[in-house]
């Protein structure tokens, strides 16, 4: 279904007599959307020798895909300079070029590539791990709410669903501002209503609240208010279960706040500038100093003239690939192959938030299971019925 230029998909949630149709907004018409990150772990399920080749020759998300454009540009520049040196320069000019190449080669180590790249990648990976750990899974809030907020009537069901849904709505608001794919999917707040994260009257209340800053906190405020309502209506057994749910909401909100602050305050721009400039400068100099010298009397004469820079090519792939790893991890909320698929996470959290409320009662087993007593001995487990 196409509504106002957006593609909508109808989604159903059915549980305990509850039936809901909500438009799940996918992506702007004409956009391919965000693909799931490539998961290669199943390719590495064994340690067989063939597994290494299966991993190395993957294209999607690979180092080959990351560096091939820069590599061919660098290789073309190397080949052009090699042709000029071999065929366009006279003997005197070749001698001057060879001295310049020797000069650059001896001082190439002035650029501390290993130290600069290694330290930078370590910082970036630590940021990536922290952001990944705080993306926010709604399961704890949904489980605590479904089990601690009592009531099988419509009022109780709505309380449970709305508490969790408001938390997911806040997550969606945060992701809209930091993730390109989510922003493309939800360009306006009205699209969140179409997707089921908010209802129309809730959006009106949201817009009525005037603030100079982003109102990520407002749906959390609603969720905590509903907890107090549930406590007043005796749907919670005192303050302990209420505080347990509130602590889970607090942890969820704190994680989202941390992610937002990482987006608000990135690494100083001079740091990645310095690293990227160092890597590109290093290989620009390599175009000159890694040429095969053909004059036998030159101090840096190359005994074996291979024409093709094999070792320099390997060095280029390793160092530039290392830099590309840092570039991809620097902003995991983009549209690279291995960036976080926040659209999937939002859909998953919204679905789980409803599904958990469907099974808030323990289903008794219809099968009579014998009671076993486990007796543990050294190296042997004996089961006594």
């Amino acid at each position: 279904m196409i509504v106002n230029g957006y593609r909508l998909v109808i989604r159903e949630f059915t549980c305990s007599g509850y039936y809901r149709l909500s438009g799940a907004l996918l992506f702007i018409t004409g956009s391919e959307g965000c693909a799931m990150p490539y998961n290669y772990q199943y390719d590495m399920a064994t340690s067989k020798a063939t597994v290494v080749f299966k991993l190395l020759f993957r294209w999607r998300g690979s180092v080959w895909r990351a560096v091939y454009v820069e590599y061919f540009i660098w290789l073309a520049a190397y080949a052009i300079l090699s042709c000029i040196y071999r065929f366009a320069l006279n003997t005197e000019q070749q001698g001057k070029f060879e001295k310049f190449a020797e000069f650059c080669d001896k001082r190439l180590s002035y650029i501390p590539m290993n130290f600069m790249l290694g330290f930078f990648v370590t910082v970036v990976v630590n940021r990536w791990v922290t952001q990944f750990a705080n993306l926010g899974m709604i399961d704890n809030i949904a489980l605590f709410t479904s089990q601690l907020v009592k009531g099988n009537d419509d009022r109780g069901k709505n309380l449970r669903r709305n508490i969790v849904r408001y938390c997911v709505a806040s997550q969606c608001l945060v992701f809209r501002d930091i993730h390109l794919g989510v922003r493309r999917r939800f360009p306006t707040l009205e699209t969140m209503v179409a997707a089921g994260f908010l209802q129309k009257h809730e959006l009106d209340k949201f817009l009525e609240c005037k603030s100079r800053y982003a109102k990520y906190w407002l749906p959390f405020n609603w969720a905590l208010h509903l907890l107090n309502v549930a406590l007043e209506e005796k749907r919670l057994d005192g303050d302990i279960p209420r505080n347990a749910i509130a602590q889970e909401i607090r942890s969820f909100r704190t994680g989202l706040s941390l992610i937002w602050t990482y987006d608000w305050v990135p690494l100083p721009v001079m740091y990645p500038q310095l690293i990227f400039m160092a890597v590109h400068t290093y290989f620009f100099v390599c175009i000159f100093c890694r040429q095969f010298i053909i004059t036998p009397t030159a101090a840096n004469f190359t005994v074996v003239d291979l024409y093709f820079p094999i070792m320099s090519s390997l060095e280029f792939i390793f160092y530039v690939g290392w830099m590309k790893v840092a570039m991809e991890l620097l902003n995991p909320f983009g549209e690279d192959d291995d960036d976080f698929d926040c659209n999937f996470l939002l859909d998953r959290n919204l679905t789980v938030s409803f599904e958990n409320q469907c099974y808030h009662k323990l289903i008794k087993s219809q099968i009579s299971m014998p009671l076993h007593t486990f007796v543990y001995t050294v190296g042997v487990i004996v089961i006594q019925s």
Side-chain angles (χ1 to χ4, degrees):
M1 180 190 303
I2 305 297
V3 178
N4 294 330
Y6 302 106
R7 186 181 299 117
L8 300 181
V9 172
I10 302 302
R11 177 175 299 165
E12 300 179 1
F13 297 95
T14 306
C15 61
S16 304
Y18 173 70
Y19 183 79
R20 174 190 176 94
L21 288 178
S22 64
L25 185 65
L26 291 182
F27 298 95
I28 294 178
T29 303
S31 172
E32 295 180 358
C34 293
M36 288 289 289
Y38 169 59
N39 192 330
Y40 58 88
Q41 295 186 78
Y42 295 110
D43 294 339
M44 303 292 292
T46 65
S47 58
K48 296 179 180 179
T50 55
V51 171
V52 177
F53 296 99
K54 185 185 294 185
L55 179 65
L56 286 179
F57 292 105
R58 289 287 182 179
W59 176 252
R60 182 183 170 191
S62 66
V63 65
W64 319 115
R65 183 175 180 177
V67 306
Y68 80 96
V69 174
E70 289 92 337
Y71 174 67
F72 284 131
I73 293 174
W74 179 83
L75 198 61
Y78 181 94
I80 292 172
L81 184 61
S82 178
C83 292
I84 293 174
Y85 163 63
R86 293 170 184 270
F87 307 114
L89 301 182
N90 56 37
T91 303
E92 181 182 356
Q93 292 171 335
Q94 285 180 344
K96 292 181 180 179
F97 176 82
E98 290 161 359
K99 291 180 180 179
F100 176 74
E102 182 183 8
F103 174 85
C104 292
D105 189 48
K106 288 182 177 180
R107 290 159 179 80
L108 193 60
S109 60
Y110 288 2
I111 304 176
M113 290 283 288
N114 289 333
F115 172 77
M116 294 178 69
L117 265 177
F119 190 75
F120 180 67
V121 171
T122 300
V123 172
V124 171
V125 168
N126 288 337
R127 286 174 58 92
W128 184 92
V129 170
T130 302
Q131 292 177 86
F132 175 76
N134 290 277
L135 281 177
M137 303 291 279
I138 203 64
D139 300 56
N140 284 349
I141 299 176
L143 288 170
F144 276 54
T145 304
S146 67
Q147 294 301 315
L148 298 180
V149 179
K150 300 178 181 179
N152 293 324
D153 56 335
D154 290 339
R155 174 69 171 173
K157 294 175 184 177
N158 287 331
L159 281 174
R160 288 192 294 270
R161 291 169 187 149
N162 289 336
I163 288 172
V164 185
R165 181 171 59 84
Y166 288 152
C167 295
V168 182
S170 286
Q171 185 181 40
C172 186
L173 290 172
V174 173
F175 285 171
R176 281 184 72 245
D177 286 348
I178 66 175
H179 194 282
L180 295 177
V182 176
R183 188 68 179 192
R184 183 177 292 111
R185 180 184 177 186
F186 301 110
T188 63
L189 294 177
E190 286 74 13
T191 55
M192 290 181 59
V193 176
F197 291 92
L198 290 173
Q199 296 181 7
K200 183 63 173 65
H201 70 279
E202 294 167 348
L203 177 60
D204 295 337
K205 292 292 184 181
F206 186 88
L207 296 176
E208 287 177 5
C209 179
K210 303 300 181 182
S211 176
R212 294 174 55 190
Y213 307 105
K215 295 176 287 188
Y216 309 132
W217 51 269
L218 188 54
F220 283 120
N221 186 290
W222 296 343
L224 293 173
H225 173 72
L226 290 183
L227 274 182
N228 293 331
V229 171
L231 183 62
E232 293 173 359
E233 296 180 0
K234 307 299 182 182
R235 297 180 184 275
L236 287 168
D237 294 332
D239 291 332
I240 293 179
R242 187 262 181 201
N243 291 338
I245 300 175
Q247 285 300 318
E248 292 299 331
I249 295 176
R250 173 183 174 275
S251 299
F252 188 79
R253 192 214 66 82
T254 302
L256 293 177
S257 176
L258 183 62
I259 290 177
W260 181 82
T261 54
Y262 269 75
D263 179 78
W264 173 43
V265 185
L267 290 175
V269 67
M270 65 178 71
Y271 196 9
Q273 277 181 341
L274 179 65
I275 300 301
F276 301 156
M277 183 175 63
V279 173
H280 289 88
T281 302
Y282 181 89
F283 286 102
F284 176 77
V285 176
C286 285
I287 294 176
F288 297 91
C289 68
R290 298 294 174 80
Q291 293 289 337
F292 293 99
I293 304 303
I294 60 176
T295 303
T297 58
N300 53 341
F301 170 67
T302 304
V303 178
V304 181
D305 187 3
L306 297 178
Y307 296 95
F308 184 83
I310 298 176
M311 300 308 297
S312 295
S313 294
L314 292 176
E315 187 180 31
F316 185 95
I317 293 172
F318 296 151
Y319 276 131
V320 176
W322 202 3
M323 181 190 70
K324 290 289 185 175
V325 169
M327 290 177 64
E328 186 157 327
L329 298 181
L330 191 59
N331 179 20
F333 296 99
E335 296 181 307
D336 291 326
D337 288 337
D338 291 309
D339 283 339
F340 300 148
D341 191 354
C342 291
N343 280 308
F344 166 79
L345 181 60
L346 287 173
D347 290 338
R348 186 252 179 210
N349 280 350
L350 186 62
T351 303
V352 169
S353 69
F354 285 105
E355 288 179 347
N356 266 277
Q357 313 316 315
C358 304
Y359 306 104
H360 64 282
K361 278 192 170 184
L362 179 64
I363 301 176
K364 295 182 179 180
S365 175
Q366 301 299 319
I367 303 175
S368 178
M369 300 295 292
L371 180 63
H372 296 293
T373 303
F374 292 87
V375 180
Y376 293 89
T377 60
V378 178
V380 180
I381 299 178
V382 181
I383 301 179
Q384 297 179 347
S385 298

